[in-house]
Amino acid sequence: MRAAVYLILANLFWAGNFVVGQAAMKTMEPLQLTFWRWVLAAVPLLVLAHAVEKPDWRAALRRWPVLLLLSGLGMSGYTLLLYSALQHTSALNASLVTAANPALILVMAVVLLRDRPRPLSWVGVALGLLGVLIVLTAGSFERLLTFSINTGELLIVGAITVWGLYTIIARRLDVPAITSTAVQVAMAAVVLLPFAVATGSGLPGSPSEGWSLAFIAVFPSLGSYLLWNLALKRTSAANAGNYLNLIAVFTAVITVVLGQPITVPQILGGALVISGVLLTSAGGKERQRPRSSKSTSSPPSPSPAEFRPR
């Protein structure tokens, strides 16, 4: 239950990132927004990690190779690809491609982690994807025939692939969640610094840009990444990935709050997405391969569940 709450809130904040980020890209550059969101998020996260988890920083930093890899994937790579894509494609096309993320993560978990999700999980992924398609196409699947793969959509495909790898690797990391997130964010800020300086990526120059950056730094940056990493300590990568479908539902809710009416296809699609998440949660516990009773010269590899905090 706690993992579900973390994942729901994380995706609510990420939905806000789509809406606010789309508006920010009209006057800002992807590198500028990516760099400053992590600069602003780094210090609060480091302070929070030290106060709450009181980690052994030396032990955590000994994991710097994998933390640097995760930072490059989830903080720098995914964010730059997402914001770059929003400069070349519509929010509808970008969201539609992003909806394939849960299925991609589930397949990656099967291939890389040898997860064995129950058939109900596959049904949940399919149901959730169908719901997202209904939401994004307003119930008219003929609209899919008019889409063409352009630069923006290819960038989104790259983004969800990068995020899938991030999720799989982060699932096995044995560093406290807040500490892990804080170090990754700080690494991203440091790595992106020379590129930001070289391109003149200064602070926002208008109040609207400033408010956009503030929102993105606090909620999608601090909130979502922290909650996502906390959830990965308590549930499987495939189950966490299916919750990404909720981004479309929350985006629809945000548009209603902003004054746009909600349609019947959005309501129906939202119900299907939520049903898919519930089905995947119910069938998400992977079946473990039986271990051989024969003795071996080395201990068997631990299952993903064994990396959870005890």
Side-chain angles (χ1 to χ4, degrees):
M1 177 60 70
R2 185 177 299 179
V5 173
Y6 291 158
L7 290 168
I8 290 171
L9 288 175
N11 286 287
L12 173 61
F13 297 156
W14 271 323
N17 184 43
F18 269 87
V19 176
V20 178
Q22 179 86 49
M25 283 300 95
K26 295 178 181 178
T27 57
M28 299 180 69
E29 293 297 323
L31 177 59
Q32 179 187 18
L33 183 56
T34 301
F35 171 68
W36 284 110
R37 71 179 286 188
W38 297 138
V39 168
L40 295 178
V43 173
L45 268 176
L46 289 169
V47 172
L48 182 64
H50 189 75
V52 175
E53 294 178 338
K54 297 179 173 57
D56 182 344
W57 289 104
R58 291 184 178 181
L61 291 176
R62 281 196 288 269
R63 304 284 291 161
W64 72 263
V66 67
L67 288 169
L68 183 60
L69 174 61
L70 287 171
S71 177
L73 290 171
M75 276 56 184
S76 300
Y78 172 79
T79 309
L80 284 170
L81 286 168
L82 172 62
Y83 290 148
S84 297
L86 292 175
Q87 290 185 317
H88 298 282
T89 190
S90 67
L92 178 61
N93 283 11
S95 300
L96 179 61
V97 177
T98 302
N101 210 336
L104 179 63
I105 291 177
L106 189 147
V107 172
M108 284 183 173
V110 170
V111 173
L112 299 177
L113 300 183
R114 296 185 180 180
D115 281 3
R116 301 182 65 189
R118 301 179 188 277
L120 196 59
S121 295
W122 294 102
V123 174
V125 168
L127 196 61
L129 181 57
L130 175 62
V132 170
L133 291 177
I134 292 175
V135 170
L136 298 179
T137 62
S140 176
F141 288 103
E142 290 79 6
R143 295 176 62 182
L144 296 176
L145 301 177
T146 65
F147 291 170
S148 59
I149 301 297
N150 60 23
T151 302
E153 286 152 11
L154 290 176
L155 288 170
I156 285 291
V157 170
I160 67 172
T161 302
V162 165
W163 184 257
L165 290 172
Y166 175 86
T167 299
I168 294 296
I169 297 171
R171 177 70 176 80
R172 301 173 68 96
L173 185 64
D174 55 351
V175 176
I178 306 177
T179 303
S180 171
T181 306
V183 173
Q184 291 173 47
V185 166
M187 286 179 168
V190 172
V191 170
L192 291 175
L193 176 59
F195 299 98
V197 172
T199 57
S201 299
L203 283 167
S206 68
S208 61
E209 291 178 352
W211 283 113
S212 296
L213 176 59
F215 174 87
I216 291 174
V218 173
F219 293 100
S221 302
L222 287 170
S224 291
Y225 278 84
L226 175 59
L227 291 166
W228 183 264
N229 280 285
L230 286 171
L232 288 176
K233 299 294 184 181
R234 294 172 170 83
T235 189
S236 69
N239 184 43
N242 196 52
Y243 278 76
L244 293 171
N245 280 326
L246 291 174
I247 292 175
V249 178
F250 289 138
T251 302
V253 172
I254 292 172
T255 59
V256 171
V257 172
L258 293 177
Q260 300 180 17
I262 191 168
T263 64
V264 172
Q266 287 174 328
I267 296 174
L268 175 60
L272 287 174
V273 169
I274 294 173
S275 299
V277 169
L278 293 175
L279 280 176
T280 302
S281 298
K285 186 176 182 181
E286 59 267 22
R287 293 170 290 179
Q288 302 294 327
R289 294 179 182 274
R291 293 180 176 178
S292 174
S293 58
K294 298 180 181 180
S295 61
T296 59
S297 58
S298 60
S301 300
S303 67
E306 292 178 48
F307 286 93
R308 295 176 185 173
R310 304 187 187 281

